[in-house]
Amino acid sequence: MKNITFVLMTCGELTEDKCLKSIESFKNEIELIVIRDTYPQIKALNQMIESVETEYFVALDADMILYPNAWERISNAWRKHWRDDKWHSILFPLWDTLTERKILALKVMRTSIMKQNLFCESATPDVEHHQRLTSQGYTCITDYLKQSPIGDHVVTGDHFCYHKYRDVYQTYRSHNSEWDSGASFG
């Protein structure tokens, strides 16, 4: 039985084929689920959680292109921490090609905790979710954020799913601060 599912969420990104190619070498080691054209974001996030049946899952956006060593790093991380039942996520950095910096992006999540804590409607569902899980005593493993990126986050094309991200980046670039405190550049 496989222990981990990769859930590809896509809204028509031009990088989807490259994303899928980047996981091809370990596709036999994982379950793969695709959430396609599901809006709004909150609906896609909860559909992702509800569709997973393995112990862990990775939220993989179609604009994430993983490096060849990604599977080794991901599988080593969850295997290292599997006995600790208080973590909800393990975070890895990606290299963002728009901002040309590391961002907090790839998450390995513990399914049982996520199924009990679906995402809520909010301006920044990830931030609210993280804060709620922390208030319940769960932790997020951030040690891996100090490492080199695990892949690239490639923003290309004119898809509406990028509009908020581009707005946040342009504000950050112009004013050296985010207009939305939940949109962290890590």
Side-chain angles (χ1 to χ4, degrees), residues 78-104:
W78 67 260
R79 285 184 174 116
K80 178 180 178 181
H81 299 287
W82 73 272
R83 287 190 172 117
D84 175 7
D85 63 353
K86 292 307 283 180
W87 65 267
H88 63 82
S89 302
I90 301 172
L91 296 179
F92 287 93
L94 290 172
W95 181 256
D96 185 78
T97 61
L98 178 64
T99 62
E100 296 183 340
R101 60 196 303 176
K102 280 178 24 174
I103 60 170
L104 318 178

PDB file of all heavy atoms in Angstrom, residues 78-104:
ATOM      1  N   TRP A  78       8.899  12.715   5.649  1.00  0.00           N
ATOM      2  CA  TRP A  78       7.762  12.122   6.360  1.00  0.00           C
ATOM      3  C   TRP A  78       8.170  10.850   7.088  1.00  0.00           C
ATOM      4  O   TRP A  78       7.640  10.551   8.150  1.00  0.00           O
ATOM      5  CB  TRP A  78       6.520  11.949   5.494  1.00  0.00           C
ATOM      6  CG  TRP A  78       6.557  10.958   4.371  1.00  0.00           C
ATOM      7  CD1 TRP A  78       6.750  11.240   3.055  1.00  0.00           C
ATOM      8  CD2 TRP A  78       6.363   9.551   4.448  1.00  0.00           C
ATOM      9  NE1 TRP A  78       6.711  10.085   2.320  1.00  0.00           N
ATOM     10  CE2 TRP A  78       6.467   9.034   3.149  1.00  0.00           C
ATOM     11  CE3 TRP A  78       6.121   8.660   5.492  1.00  0.00           C
ATOM     12  CZ2 TRP A  78       6.334   7.682   2.855  1.00  0.00           C
ATOM     13  CZ3 TRP A  78       5.993   7.308   5.200  1.00  0.00           C
ATOM     14  CH2 TRP A  78       6.101   6.841   3.897  1.00  0.00           C
ATOM     15  N   ARG A  79       9.147  10.126   6.554  1.00  0.00           N
ATOM     16  CA  ARG A  79       9.616   8.930   7.268  1.00  0.00           C
ATOM     17  C   ARG A  79      10.345   9.312   8.563  1.00  0.00           C
ATOM     18  O   ARG A  79      10.239   8.609   9.562  1.00  0.00           O
ATOM     19  CB  ARG A  79      10.517   8.093   6.373  1.00  0.00           C
ATOM     20  CG  ARG A  79       9.741   7.337   5.330  1.00  0.00           C
ATOM     21  CD  ARG A  79      10.629   6.429   4.487  1.00  0.00           C
ATOM     22  NE  ARG A  79       9.807   5.629   3.614  1.00  0.00           N
ATOM     23  CZ  ARG A  79       9.838   5.716   2.291  1.00  0.00           C
ATOM     24  NH1 ARG A  79      10.664   6.550   1.694  1.00  0.00           N
ATOM     25  NH2 ARG A  79       9.047   4.954   1.571  1.00  0.00           N
ATOM     26  N   LYS A  80      11.044  10.415   8.547  1.00  0.00           N
ATOM     27  CA  LYS A  80      11.758  10.883   9.744  1.00  0.00           C
ATOM     28  C   LYS A  80      10.772  11.287  10.846  1.00  0.00           C
ATOM     29  O   LYS A  80      11.040  11.083  12.029  1.00  0.00           O
ATOM     30  CB  LYS A  80      12.651  12.076   9.391  1.00  0.00           C
ATOM     31  CG  LYS A  80      13.386  12.652  10.576  1.00  0.00           C
ATOM     32  CD  LYS A  80      14.260  13.822  10.179  1.00  0.00           C
ATOM     33  CE  LYS A  80      14.957  14.405  11.393  1.00  0.00           C
ATOM     34  NZ  LYS A  80      15.789  15.561  11.039  1.00  0.00           N
ATOM     35  N   HIS A  81       9.635  11.839  10.486  1.00  0.00           N
ATOM     36  CA  HIS A  81       8.703  12.418  11.463  1.00  0.00           C
ATOM     37  C   HIS A  81       7.437  11.597  11.687  1.00  0.00           C
ATOM     38  O   HIS A  81       6.542  12.047  12.404  1.00  0.00           O
ATOM     39  CB  HIS A  81       8.330  13.836  11.023  1.00  0.00           C
ATOM     40  CG  HIS A  81       9.500  14.763  10.951  1.00  0.00           C
ATOM     41  ND1 HIS A  81      10.125  15.266  12.061  1.00  0.00           N
ATOM     42  CD2 HIS A  81      10.182  15.245   9.886  1.00  0.00           C
ATOM     43  CE1 HIS A  81      11.131  16.036  11.686  1.00  0.00           C
ATOM     44  NE2 HIS A  81      11.188  16.037  10.371  1.00  0.00           N
ATOM     45  N   TRP A  82       7.334  10.408  11.136  1.00  0.00           N
ATOM     46  CA  TRP A  82       6.063   9.681  11.193  1.00  0.00           C
ATOM     47  C   TRP A  82       5.622   9.331  12.609  1.00  0.00           C
ATOM     48  O   TRP A  82       4.439   9.233  12.875  1.00  0.00           O
ATOM     49  CB  TRP A  82       6.095   8.427  10.313  1.00  0.00           C
ATOM     50  CG  TRP A  82       6.930   7.297  10.854  1.00  0.00           C
ATOM     51  CD1 TRP A  82       8.261   7.105  10.648  1.00  0.00           C
ATOM     52  CD2 TRP A  82       6.484   6.212  11.665  1.00  0.00           C
ATOM     53  NE1 TRP A  82       8.684   5.971  11.296  1.00  0.00           N
ATOM     54  CE2 TRP A  82       7.604   5.400  11.926  1.00  0.00           C
ATOM     55  CE3 TRP A  82       5.250   5.859  12.208  1.00  0.00           C
ATOM     56  CZ2 TRP A  82       7.527   4.253  12.711  1.00  0.00           C
ATOM     57  CZ3 TRP A  82       5.174   4.704  12.980  1.00  0.00           C
ATOM     58  CH2 TRP A  82       6.305   3.925  13.213  1.00  0.00           C
ATOM     59  N   ARG A  83       6.541   9.179  13.536  1.00  0.00           N
ATOM     60  CA  ARG A  83       6.154   8.824  14.907  1.00  0.00           C
ATOM     61  C   ARG A  83       5.569   9.994  15.698  1.00  0.00           C
ATOM     62  O   ARG A  83       4.864   9.784  16.670  1.00  0.00           O
ATOM     63  CB  ARG A  83       7.364   8.262  15.654  1.00  0.00           C
ATOM     64  CG  ARG A  83       7.724   6.878  15.203  1.00  0.00           C
ATOM     65  CD  ARG A  83       8.759   6.257  16.126  1.00  0.00           C
ATOM     66  NE  ARG A  83       8.933   4.876  15.762  1.00  0.00           N
ATOM     67  CZ  ARG A  83      10.056   4.360  15.316  1.00  0.00           C
ATOM     68  NH1 ARG A  83      11.132   5.116  15.196  1.00  0.00           N
ATOM     69  NH2 ARG A  83      10.133   3.086  14.997  1.00  0.00           N
ATOM     70  N   ASP A  84       5.891  11.201  15.285  1.00  0.00           N
ATOM     71  CA  ASP A  84       5.378  12.396  15.957  1.00  0.00           C
ATOM     72  C   ASP A  84       3.977  12.681  15.418  1.00  0.00           C
ATOM     73  O   ASP A  84       3.822  13.123  14.290  1.00  0.00           O
ATOM     74  CB  ASP A  84       6.310  13.580  15.699  1.00  0.00           C
ATOM     75  CG  ASP A  84       5.778  14.885  16.263  1.00  0.00           C
ATOM     76  OD1 ASP A  84       4.755  14.877  16.978  1.00  0.00           O
ATOM     77  OD2 ASP A  84       6.391  15.922  15.964  1.00  0.00           O
ATOM     78  N   ASP A  85       2.969  12.437  16.226  1.00  0.00           N
ATOM     79  CA  ASP A  85       1.593  12.600  15.738  1.00  0.00           C
ATOM     80  C   ASP A  85       1.053  14.017  15.921  1.00  0.00           C
ATOM     81  O   ASP A  85      -0.129  14.265  15.728  1.00  0.00           O
ATOM     82  CB  ASP A  85       0.659  11.586  16.396  1.00  0.00           C
ATOM     83  CG  ASP A  85       0.551  11.755  17.905  1.00  0.00           C
ATOM     84  OD1 ASP A  85       1.294  12.575  18.480  1.00  0.00           O
ATOM     85  OD2 ASP A  85      -0.275  11.054  18.512  1.00  0.00           O
ATOM     86  N   LYS A  86       1.902  14.972  16.271  1.00  0.00           N
ATOM     87  CA  LYS A  86       1.443  16.345  16.500  1.00  0.00           C
ATOM     88  C   LYS A  86       1.754  17.293  15.336  1.00  0.00           C
ATOM     89  O   LYS A  86       1.401  18.460  15.387  1.00  0.00           O
ATOM     90  CB  LYS A  86       2.050  16.907  17.791  1.00  0.00           C
ATOM     91  CG  LYS A  86       1.535  16.233  19.059  1.00  0.00           C
ATOM     92  CD  LYS A  86       0.031  16.206  19.165  1.00  0.00           C
ATOM     93  CE  LYS A  86      -0.508  17.544  19.581  1.00  0.00           C
ATOM     94  NZ  LYS A  86      -1.970  17.593  19.713  1.00  0.00           N
ATOM     95  N   TRP A  87       2.398  16.825  14.278  1.00  0.00           N
ATOM     96  CA  TRP A  87       2.640  17.735  13.157  1.00  0.00           C
ATOM     97  C   TRP A  87       1.523  17.611  12.121  1.00  0.00           C
ATOM     98  O   TRP A  87       0.999  16.539  11.881  1.00  0.00           O
ATOM     99  CB  TRP A  87       4.008  17.529  12.511  1.00  0.00           C
ATOM    100  CG  TRP A  87       4.258  16.207  11.834  1.00  0.00           C
ATOM    101  CD1 TRP A  87       4.820  15.099  12.388  1.00  0.00           C
ATOM    102  CD2 TRP A  87       3.975  15.863  10.469  1.00  0.00           C
ATOM    103  NE1 TRP A  87       4.896  14.090  11.458  1.00  0.00           N
ATOM    104  CE2 TRP A  87       4.385  14.538  10.267  1.00  0.00           C
ATOM    105  CE3 TRP A  87       3.404  16.553   9.393  1.00  0.00           C
ATOM    106  CZ2 TRP A  87       4.255  13.877   9.045  1.00  0.00           C
ATOM    107  CZ3 TRP A  87       3.279  15.892   8.175  1.00  0.00           C
ATOM    108  CH2 TRP A  87       3.705  14.583   8.016  1.00  0.00           C
ATOM    109  N   HIS A  88       1.172  18.747  11.555  1.00  0.00           N
ATOM    110  CA  HIS A  88       0.143  18.763  10.515  1.00  0.00           C
ATOM    111  C   HIS A  88       0.733  18.918   9.130  1.00  0.00           C
ATOM    112  O   HIS A  88       0.182  18.433   8.159  1.00  0.00           O
ATOM    113  CB  HIS A  88      -0.911  19.842  10.775  1.00  0.00           C
ATOM    114  CG  HIS A  88      -0.393  21.249  10.771  1.00  0.00           C
ATOM    115  ND1 HIS A  88      -0.191  21.968   9.622  1.00  0.00           N
ATOM    116  CD2 HIS A  88      -0.055  22.067  11.802  1.00  0.00           C
ATOM    117  CE1 HIS A  88       0.258  23.180   9.930  1.00  0.00           C
ATOM    118  NE2 HIS A  88       0.351  23.265  11.250  1.00  0.00           N
ATOM    119  N   SER A  89       1.885  19.603   9.017  1.00  0.00           N
ATOM    120  CA  SER A  89       2.501  19.846   7.705  1.00  0.00           C
ATOM    121  C   SER A  89       4.015  19.889   7.828  1.00  0.00           C
ATOM    122  O   SER A  89       4.549  20.266   8.873  1.00  0.00           O
ATOM    123  CB  SER A  89       2.051  21.189   7.122  1.00  0.00           C
ATOM    124  OG  SER A  89       0.660  21.250   6.985  1.00  0.00           O
ATOM    125  N   ILE A  90       4.656  19.521   6.744  1.00  0.00           N
ATOM    126  CA  ILE A  90       6.096  19.704   6.580  1.00  0.00           C
ATOM    127  C   ILE A  90       6.249  20.631   5.382  1.00  0.00           C
ATOM    128  O   ILE A  90       5.705  20.360   4.315  1.00  0.00           O
ATOM    129  CB  ILE A  90       6.819  18.368   6.309  1.00  0.00           C
ATOM    130  CG1 ILE A  90       6.589  17.371   7.452  1.00  0.00           C
ATOM    131  CG2 ILE A  90       8.313  18.610   6.077  1.00  0.00           C
ATOM    132  CD1 ILE A  90       7.113  15.964   7.161  1.00  0.00           C
ATOM    133  N   LEU A  91       6.960  21.730   5.575  1.00  0.00           N
ATOM    134  CA  LEU A  91       7.110  22.724   4.510  1.00  0.00           C
ATOM    135  C   LEU A  91       8.467  22.641   3.832  1.00  0.00           C
ATOM    136  O   LEU A  91       9.488  22.460   4.489  1.00  0.00           O
ATOM    137  CB  LEU A  91       6.950  24.134   5.076  1.00  0.00           C
ATOM    138  CG  LEU A  91       5.598  24.502   5.657  1.00  0.00           C
ATOM    139  CD1 LEU A  91       5.625  25.925   6.184  1.00  0.00           C
ATOM    140  CD2 LEU A  91       4.494  24.336   4.635  1.00  0.00           C
ATOM    141  N   PHE A  92       8.442  22.803   2.512  1.00  0.00           N
ATOM    142  CA  PHE A  92       9.649  22.886   1.693  1.00  0.00           C
ATOM    143  C   PHE A  92       9.595  24.173   0.878  1.00  0.00           C
ATOM    144  O   PHE A  92       8.515  24.593   0.452  1.00  0.00           O
ATOM    145  CB  PHE A  92       9.720  21.711   0.713  1.00  0.00           C
ATOM    146  CG  PHE A  92      10.048  20.397   1.341  1.00  0.00           C
ATOM    147  CD1 PHE A  92       9.035  19.549   1.741  1.00  0.00           C
ATOM    148  CD2 PHE A  92      11.358  20.003   1.519  1.00  0.00           C
ATOM    149  CE1 PHE A  92       9.324  18.320   2.315  1.00  0.00           C
ATOM    150  CE2 PHE A  92      11.662  18.770   2.093  1.00  0.00           C
ATOM    151  CZ  PHE A  92      10.643  17.922   2.480  1.00  0.00           C
ATOM    152  N   PRO A  93      10.755  24.775   0.606  1.00  0.00           N
ATOM    153  CA  PRO A  93      10.764  25.972  -0.236  1.00  0.00           C
ATOM    154  C   PRO A  93      10.778  25.610  -1.726  1.00  0.00           C
ATOM    155  O   PRO A  93      11.267  24.562  -2.125  1.00  0.00           O
ATOM    156  CB  PRO A  93      12.068  26.664   0.154  1.00  0.00           C
ATOM    157  CG  PRO A  93      12.986  25.537   0.506  1.00  0.00           C
ATOM    158  CD  PRO A  93      12.094  24.492   1.152  1.00  0.00           C
ATOM    159  N   LEU A  94      10.231  26.497  -2.512  1.00  0.00           N
ATOM    160  CA  LEU A  94      10.338  26.446  -3.963  1.00  0.00           C
ATOM    161  C   LEU A  94      11.050  27.711  -4.413  1.00  0.00           C
ATOM    162  O   LEU A  94      11.032  28.727  -3.711  1.00  0.00           O
ATOM    163  CB  LEU A  94       8.955  26.400  -4.624  1.00  0.00           C
ATOM    164  CG  LEU A  94       8.138  25.128  -4.476  1.00  0.00           C
ATOM    165  CD1 LEU A  94       6.734  25.334  -5.018  1.00  0.00           C
ATOM    166  CD2 LEU A  94       8.804  23.964  -5.169  1.00  0.00           C
ATOM    167  N   TRP A  95      11.658  27.664  -5.585  1.00  0.00           N
ATOM    168  CA  TRP A  95      12.248  28.854  -6.171  1.00  0.00           C
ATOM    169  C   TRP A  95      11.190  29.486  -7.056  1.00  0.00           C
ATOM    170  O   TRP A  95      10.701  28.865  -7.999  1.00  0.00           O
ATOM    171  CB  TRP A  95      13.497  28.526  -6.978  1.00  0.00           C
ATOM    172  CG  TRP A  95      14.114  29.765  -7.551  1.00  0.00           C
ATOM    173  CD1 TRP A  95      14.050  30.192  -8.847  1.00  0.00           C
ATOM    174  CD2 TRP A  95      14.860  30.741  -6.844  1.00  0.00           C
ATOM    175  NE1 TRP A  95      14.708  31.381  -8.986  1.00  0.00           N
ATOM    176  CE2 TRP A  95      15.229  31.740  -7.769  1.00  0.00           C
ATOM    177  CE3 TRP A  95      15.255  30.881  -5.514  1.00  0.00           C
ATOM    178  CZ2 TRP A  95      15.964  32.868  -7.398  1.00  0.00           C
ATOM    179  CZ3 TRP A  95      16.000  31.993  -5.150  1.00  0.00           C
ATOM    180  CH2 TRP A  95      16.346  32.972  -6.089  1.00  0.00           C
ATOM    181  N   ASP A  96      10.792  30.712  -6.733  1.00  0.00           N
ATOM    182  CA  ASP A  96       9.771  31.402  -7.494  1.00  0.00           C
ATOM    183  C   ASP A  96      10.428  32.162  -8.639  1.00  0.00           C
ATOM    184  O   ASP A  96      11.279  33.021  -8.409  1.00  0.00           O
ATOM    185  CB  ASP A  96       9.003  32.368  -6.585  1.00  0.00           C
ATOM    186  CG  ASP A  96       7.864  33.011  -7.322  1.00  0.00           C
ATOM    187  OD1 ASP A  96       6.831  32.337  -7.491  1.00  0.00           O
ATOM    188  OD2 ASP A  96       8.022  34.165  -7.748  1.00  0.00           O
ATOM    189  N   THR A  97      10.037  31.832  -9.864  1.00  0.00           N
ATOM    190  CA  THR A  97      10.669  32.455 -11.026  1.00  0.00           C
ATOM    191  C   THR A  97      10.186  33.882 -11.278  1.00  0.00           C
ATOM    192  O   THR A  97      10.857  34.630 -11.974  1.00  0.00           O
ATOM    193  CB  THR A  97      10.451  31.599 -12.291  1.00  0.00           C
ATOM    194  OG1 THR A  97       9.050  31.485 -12.550  1.00  0.00           O
ATOM    195  CG2 THR A  97      11.062  30.214 -12.128  1.00  0.00           C
ATOM    196  N   LEU A  98       9.053  34.275 -10.705  1.00  0.00           N
ATOM    197  CA  LEU A  98       8.573  35.645 -10.850  1.00  0.00           C
ATOM    198  C   LEU A  98       9.327  36.589  -9.914  1.00  0.00           C
ATOM    199  O   LEU A  98       9.826  37.628 -10.324  1.00  0.00           O
ATOM    200  CB  LEU A  98       7.068  35.725 -10.569  1.00  0.00           C
ATOM    201  CG  LEU A  98       6.436  37.112 -10.630  1.00  0.00           C
ATOM    202  CD1 LEU A  98       6.529  37.686 -12.043  1.00  0.00           C
ATOM    203  CD2 LEU A  98       4.986  37.058 -10.172  1.00  0.00           C
ATOM    204  N   THR A  99       9.424  36.210  -8.643  1.00  0.00           N
ATOM    205  CA  THR A  99      10.072  37.067  -7.651  1.00  0.00           C
ATOM    206  C   THR A  99      11.572  36.808  -7.538  1.00  0.00           C
ATOM    207  O   THR A  99      12.273  37.578  -6.893  1.00  0.00           O
ATOM    208  CB  THR A  99       9.439  36.848  -6.261  1.00  0.00           C
ATOM    209  OG1 THR A  99       9.641  35.481  -5.869  1.00  0.00           O
ATOM    210  CG2 THR A  99       7.962  37.180  -6.284  1.00  0.00           C
ATOM    211  N   GLU A 100      12.030  35.696  -8.125  1.00  0.00           N
ATOM    212  CA  GLU A 100      13.434  35.284  -8.081  1.00  0.00           C
ATOM    213  C   GLU A 100      13.922  35.162  -6.640  1.00  0.00           C
ATOM    214  O   GLU A 100      14.959  35.693  -6.255  1.00  0.00           O
ATOM    215  CB  GLU A 100      14.305  36.237  -8.890  1.00  0.00           C
ATOM    216  CG  GLU A 100      13.967  36.221 -10.360  1.00  0.00           C
ATOM    217  CD  GLU A 100      14.852  37.108 -11.208  1.00  0.00           C
ATOM    218  OE1 GLU A 100      15.505  38.038 -10.668  1.00  0.00           O
ATOM    219  OE2 GLU A 100      14.882  36.875 -12.424  1.00  0.00           O
ATOM    220  N   ARG A 101      13.130  34.423  -5.851  1.00  0.00           N
ATOM    221  CA  ARG A 101      13.501  34.167  -4.463  1.00  0.00           C
ATOM    222  C   ARG A 101      12.807  32.901  -3.988  1.00  0.00           C
ATOM    223  O   ARG A 101      11.870  32.410  -4.601  1.00  0.00           O
ATOM    224  CB  ARG A 101      13.134  35.347  -3.578  1.00  0.00           C
ATOM    225  CG  ARG A 101      11.648  35.649  -3.601  1.00  0.00           C
ATOM    226  CD  ARG A 101      11.258  36.987  -3.075  1.00  0.00           C
ATOM    227  NE  ARG A 101      11.705  37.196  -1.721  1.00  0.00           N
ATOM    228  CZ  ARG A 101      11.570  38.305  -1.056  1.00  0.00           C
ATOM    229  NH1 ARG A 101      10.983  39.335  -1.616  1.00  0.00           N
ATOM    230  NH2 ARG A 101      11.983  38.433   0.175  1.00  0.00           N
ATOM    231  N   LYS A 102      13.286  32.387  -2.854  1.00  0.00           N
ATOM    232  CA  LYS A 102      12.642  31.235  -2.244  1.00  0.00           C
ATOM    233  C   LYS A 102      11.299  31.655  -1.661  1.00  0.00           C
ATOM    234  O   LYS A 102      11.174  32.737  -1.103  1.00  0.00           O
ATOM    235  CB  LYS A 102      13.515  30.672  -1.102  1.00  0.00           C
ATOM    236  CG  LYS A 102      14.638  29.819  -1.584  1.00  0.00           C
ATOM    237  CD  LYS A 102      15.593  29.258  -0.549  1.00  0.00           C
ATOM    238  CE  LYS A 102      15.195  29.075   0.842  1.00  0.00           C
ATOM    239  NZ  LYS A 102      16.209  28.398   1.673  1.00  0.00           N
ATOM    240  N   ILE A 103      10.314  30.782  -1.825  1.00  0.00           N
ATOM    241  CA  ILE A 103       9.004  31.030  -1.228  1.00  0.00           C
ATOM    242  C   ILE A 103       8.586  29.797  -0.437  1.00  0.00           C
ATOM    243  O   ILE A 103       9.055  28.685  -0.689  1.00  0.00           O
ATOM    244  CB  ILE A 103       7.925  31.381  -2.282  1.00  0.00           C
ATOM    245  CG1 ILE A 103       7.751  30.247  -3.293  1.00  0.00           C
ATOM    246  CG2 ILE A 103       8.233  32.703  -2.954  1.00  0.00           C
ATOM    247  CD1 ILE A 103       6.554  30.419  -4.211  1.00  0.00           C
ATOM    248  N   LEU A 104       7.705  29.998   0.536  1.00  0.00           N
ATOM    249  CA  LEU A 104       7.145  28.892   1.317  1.00  0.00           C
ATOM    250  C   LEU A 104       6.023  28.300   0.483  1.00  0.00           C
ATOM    251  O   LEU A 104       5.006  28.954   0.290  1.00  0.00           O
ATOM    252  CB  LEU A 104       6.580  29.423   2.634  1.00  0.00           C
ATOM    253  CG  LEU A 104       7.387  30.474   3.381  1.00  0.00           C
ATOM    254  CD1 LEU A 104       6.645  30.914   4.632  1.00  0.00           C
ATOM    255  CD2 LEU A 104       8.747  29.940   3.739  1.00  0.00           C
TER     256      LEU A 104
END
